[in-house]
Structures are given as structure tokens and as C-alpha cells.
């Protein structure tokens, strides 16, 4: 079997997605996701101009060798664009391999370690009562794990705090960069008040999570973690900018609050200090941003030695192909923790055909061969790329934040 063609498909059915389709001389093909939200076209160029020409004629079943070839062959290793491009190829190759084997992907990764994959979804609100109401609604829908965020009084809602836009058509697609305002001293006393009200409302049977979005210093995060201990959060996510792994040592010294980080990581080398020193409890790398199935399997196997669990990032700005790959890894590994899942717009589900499924707080892998996601190219062409930028934040005095 040989690779004969590699297509790169860019479409925007609610969000922008960069999709790879690898076609073989035996008619078997595979789908992979290379989306980097806000930098989609950089990955397109990397794939079309630098990767695709080097893979024509190669054996698609040599997944490990091709992964190493792409990683080491670039010389300028790692980085979000390189690793997303590698991820797209790797995901598609594993899809092909599983189809050739006639098995769902998880069978090639060791078979089932569990029957279903627990997920969490998001609730945001302008004030605490609105968030409490939203959390109760998700609980009624069968969710056992819910992330809660609230806007800071006196400031406009900003990314990751206010009413959730996860299901909104268009999502984070913005024609220009928007600037937002952040105030740590107003945020720190607010969050414990939110979770005090949430525990009163939902009791102790629901896992509650919170995402800081990298907005604190280590000592500020330590203070917040200590203040949240009475409410026993499932985790405190992205408490500080993730580049400074050593900063988590300070947080660990002051709180027993479980910690999660890693959605912006793109290789195992980003995780070594955090995992080996057991400074975190959940590692949030995801297939599209950390080198595909091959990349995250390496990280999760390493993490298992140190009692660190998986928690794949899973917002709407990674395609259903990534979600399919994540679900199969989640199903197979021994140290699974939880899977983020915000769902997708109807338009996205129309373009991407999914055999995996969601039901009342759990994801279930497909039993069909492959990772269970395909793309309708004709329909995708009806949703052309749109300029997309994530927001940036400034402090109230107008200066850029440290994150």
C-alpha cells in the first residue's frame, strides 16, 4: 500500500477547520485534523508546501516511522504549527491502519479499558445566579462533571468568563483581534463565592471544575487554590501561564486542590517537569495539538507512571476528527481522567460524519473501522474559510497582561 494523494481541506461550518485526507493506491483513505484556531492557514501551508510532497509513495501503515520522520526531519522541531501538521497526518494514518485491520481504532491501542468516556461541559454567566441555573440544567441533562465560569462585576464579559458561546454559530470567528479587560483583584474573591453557591445548589455528587485561563501568578493561584479547597473541585485548570512549569511547585506547596494544565502544550517535552515531579493531577494535551494519536499516547503512557491522568482538551475549535481520535485513546488507556466536550453546531455535524456518539454525559467510540469520523467534501466547500482571531487582554491601566 502506498500514499498517492494528500488533500488539505479548509472549511468553516461554524468554526474554521483544517482537515487532511490521505488517499492510498488501494482506495483506503483516512481523515486527520490540523486546526490551530486563529492560525489555520499557517498549518495549511506547512502541510501543502512542506509535508505532503515528502510522503507520496510511502507506506501509510508505518505510523511510528512517519511520525519520527516528520518530527526529526524538520530540524526546527515542536511548536504548535509543526505539531498540528504532524497530528493531521498521524490521525489520518491511524484511521487508515484501523480500516485496513477492520477494527475500531481503540482495538489497535490495546483494546478497551472502559466502556464509556466521562465528559464535562461548560456553563458561564453574567452573575452567580445565572451560572447556578445553568449548572442545574446540565445536571438535569445527565452531566456528572461541569465547568463553571462567571463574569467579573463591573467589567464586560471576556473570553472564558461570561455566557458560553460554545454552541453559537460563528463561535470565535472574528474579522479582527478584539481586546478585553482583566482585573485579578476583582476575580480572586469572586470565584470562591461562586462555588459556595454551586455546592449549596448541586450538592456533592456533581464534579465541579474551573478554568483560570492562565491569568494568575503562582502565588495568586496558590491563594485561589487554598480558598477553593472547601468546595472540593475536580480541578483548577490553567492556573498560571503554562510555559513556566516550575511555577507549579509554588502552587503545590500551598494547596491540595487538584490541578490541570496542558492544552497549549505540543510535545512530551513540555510536560516532563510537571509530570515527573507530580506537580499536576491532569494533563490536558489533545490529539490535534500534540502530534496526533502517536503523540498523546506517548505523553499519557509517561504520565501513568506518575499517577497523572488524561484530560484531553475538547472545545469546538478542534474538529470531530480530533474528538474521534481522543475518544479512542480515552477508551484504551489505563489512566484516563475526563474528556472535555462542548459539542458542535449542526453545520459541523453535517460536514463531518461521526460514528462515535454522545449520550447524557458520556462519549462512546464507534465500532466501525477507523476513528469514526469522515468529511463530506462537497458540503465542506459551501463553508469557505473566514478570518479568525482569538482575543487578547489588557489590565485596567491599559497594559498587556503577563499571560
Amino acid at each position: 500500500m502506498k500514499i498517492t494523494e494528500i488533500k488539505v481541506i479548509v472549511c468553516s461550518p461554524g468554526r474554521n477547520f483544517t482537515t487532511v485526507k490521505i488517499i492510498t493506491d488501494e482506495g483506503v483513505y483516512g481523515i486527520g485534523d490540523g486546526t490551530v484556531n486563529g492560525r489555520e492557514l499557517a498549518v495549511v501551508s506547512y502541510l501543502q508546501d512542506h509535508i505532503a510532497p515528502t510522503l507520496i509513495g510511502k507506506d501509510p501503515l508505518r505510523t511510528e516511522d512517519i511520525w519520527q520522520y516528520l518530527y526529526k526531519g524538520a530540524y526546527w522541531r515542536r511548536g504548535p504549527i509543526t505539531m498540528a501538521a504532524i497530528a493531521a497526518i498521524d490521525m489520518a494514518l491511524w484511521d487508515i491502519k484501523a480500516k485496513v485491520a477492520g477494527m475500531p481504532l481503540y482495538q489497535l491501542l490495546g483494546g478497551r479499558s472502559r466502556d464509556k468516556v466521562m465528559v464535562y461541559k461548560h456553563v458561564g454567566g453574567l452573575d452567580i445566579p445565572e451560572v447556578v441555573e445553568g449548572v442545574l440544567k446540565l445536571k438535569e441533562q445527565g452531566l456528572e462533571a461541569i465547568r463553571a465560569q462567571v463574569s467579573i462585576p463591573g467589567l464586560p464579559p471576556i473570553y472564558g468568563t461570561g455566557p458560553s458561546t460554545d454552541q453559537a454559530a460563528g463561535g470565535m470567528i472574528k474579522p479582527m483581534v478584539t481586546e478585553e479587560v482583566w482585573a485579578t483583584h476583582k476575580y480572586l474573591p469572586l470565584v470562591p463565592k461562586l462555588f459556595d453557591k454551586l455546592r449549596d445548589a448541586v450538592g456533592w455528587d456533581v464534579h465541579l471544575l474551573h478554568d483560570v485561563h492562565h491569568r494568575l501568578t503562582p502565588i495568586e493561584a496558590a491563594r485561589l487554590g487554598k480558598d477553593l479547597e472547601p468546595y472540593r473541585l475536580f480541578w483548577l485548570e490553567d492556573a498560571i501561564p503554562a510555559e513556566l512549569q516550575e511555577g507549579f511547585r509554588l502552587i503545590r506547596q500551598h494547596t491540595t486542590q487538584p490541578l490541570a494544565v496542558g492544552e497549549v502544550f505540543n510535545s512530551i517535552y513540555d510536560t516532563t517537569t510537571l509530570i515527573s515531579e507530580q506537580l499536576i493531577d491532569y494533563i490536558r494535551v489533545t490529539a490535534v495539538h500534540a502530534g496526533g494519536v502517536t503523540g498523546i499516547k506517548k505523553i499519557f503512557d509517561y504520565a501513568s507512571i506518575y499517577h497523572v491522568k488524561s484530560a484531553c482538551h475538547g472545545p469546538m475549535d478542534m474538529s470531530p476528527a480530533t474528538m474521534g481520535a481522543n475518544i479512542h485513546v480515552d477508551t484504551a488507556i489505563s489512566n484516563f481522567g475526563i474528556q472535555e466536550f462542548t459539542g458542535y453546531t449542526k453545520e459541523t455535524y453535517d460536514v463531518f460524519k461521526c460514528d462515535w456518539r454522545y449520550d447524557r454525559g458520556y462519549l462512546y467510540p464507534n465500532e466501525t473501522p477507523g476513528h469514526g469520523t469522515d468529511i463530506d467534501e462537497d458540503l465542506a466547500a459551501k463553508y469557505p474559510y473566514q478570518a479568525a482571531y482569538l482575543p487578547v487582554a489588557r489590565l485596567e491601566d491599559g497594559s498587556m497582561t503577563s499571560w
Side-chain angles (χ1 to χ4, degrees), residues 114-355:
R114 59 197 42 81
D115 296 322
K116 54 187 180 179
V117 171
M118 183 172 71
V119 309
Y120 72 91
K121 290 193 172 188
H122 305 172
V123 170
L126 291 174
D127 55 30
I128 291 175
E130 184 179 353
V131 179
V132 172
E133 180 182 358
V135 168
L136 287 171
K137 286 182 180 178
L138 284 189
K139 181 184 178 184
E140 292 172 1
Q141 296 172 19
L143 270 292
E144 298 177 21
I146 303 166
R147 196 189 84 178
Q149 314 288 132
V150 68
S151 293
I152 298 173
L155 294 179
I158 72 169
Y159 175 70
T161 66
S164 176
T165 58
D166 286 332
Q167 300 299 332
M172 293 305 300
I173 293 175
K174 306 289 182 183
M176 289 297 295
V177 178
T178 57
E179 295 190 4
E180 301 175 335
V181 180
W182 174 257
T184 299
H185 69 287
K186 297 177 181 178
Y187 165 81
L188 286 175
L190 175 66
V191 177
K193 295 176 184 176
L194 168 64
F195 284 95
D196 181 59
K197 295 298 184 183
L198 283 172
R199 277 295 175 218
D200 284 345
V202 303
W204 298 92
D205 292 337
V206 174
H207 300 301
L208 295 176
L209 302 80
H210 182 69
D211 188 353
V212 184
H213 291 95
H214 310 284
R215 287 168 174 149
L216 302 179
T217 65
I219 198 63
E220 290 167 346
R223 174 75 270 169
L224 180 59
K226 200 174 187 69
D227 289 344
L228 289 172
E229 284 181 8
Y231 311 109
R232 295 187 179 272
L233 270 61
F234 187 90
W235 76 35
L236 185 66
E237 179 186 340
D238 291 348
I240 62 174
E243 294 93 333
L244 182 63
Q245 295 187 40
E246 295 84 351
F248 283 83
R249 293 175 184 153
L250 182 60
I251 304 173
R252 266 298 201 234
Q253 290 171 8
H254 295 285
T255 180
T256 58
Q257 171 60 57
L259 302 172
V261 77
E263 67 187 56
V264 299
F265 292 167
N266 50 72
S267 84
I268 195 169
Y269 303 106
D270 297 316
T271 72
T272 52
T273 298
L274 292 168
I275 291 174
S276 65
E277 295 188 20
Q278 300 180 67
L279 299 178
I280 59 172
D281 304 279
Y282 296 90
I283 181 67
R284 293 195 17 81
V285 293
T286 191
V288 66
H289 296 145
V293 173
T294 299
I296 64 170
K297 187 68 163 54
K298 293 178 189 294
I299 295 170
F300 293 155
D301 286 345
Y302 176 65
S304 70
I305 300 171
Y306 297 97
H307 308 290
V308 174
K309 294 183 177 181
S310 75
C312 286
H313 191 213
M316 281 182 103
D317 54 33
M318 54 187 61
S319 91
T322 288
M323 190 57 63
N326 286 349
I327 294 167
H328 282 269
V329 175
D330 294 340
T331 298
I333 61 174
S334 62
N335 59 323
F336 168 75
I338 199 167
Q339 170 68 57
E340 182 179 21
F341 181 68
T342 59
Y344 294 99
T345 65
K346 178 185 180 299
E347 292 81 3
T348 301
Y349 280 124
D350 288 341
V351 170
F352 292 92
K353 309 303 181 182
C354 304
D355 289 340

Side-chain angles (χ1 to χ4, degrees), residues 35-54:
T35 305
V36 175
N37 190 18
R39 297 293 185 271
E40 299 89 351
L41 299 185
V43 185
V44 172
S45 175
Y46 198 104
L47 285 163
Q48 289 180 335
D49 300 330
H50 303 291
I51 284 184
T54 72

Side-chain angles (χ1 to χ4, degrees), residues 7-18:
K7 295 183 179 180
V8 182
I9 304 159
V10 183
C11 61
S12 187
R15 298 287 179 100
N16 289 323
F17 299 113
T18 302

Side-chain angles (χ1 to χ4, degrees), residues 3 22 30-31 55 59-63 66-67 70 88-98:
I3 296 171
I22 298 180
I31 300 297
L55 296 181
D59 180 353
L61 302 184
R62 296 181 61 169
T63 48
I66 289 176
W67 194 96
L70 295 176
I89 298 296
D90 185 77
M91 248 182 269
L93 294 181
W94 276 102
D95 195 23
I96 290 171
K97 188 192 290 274

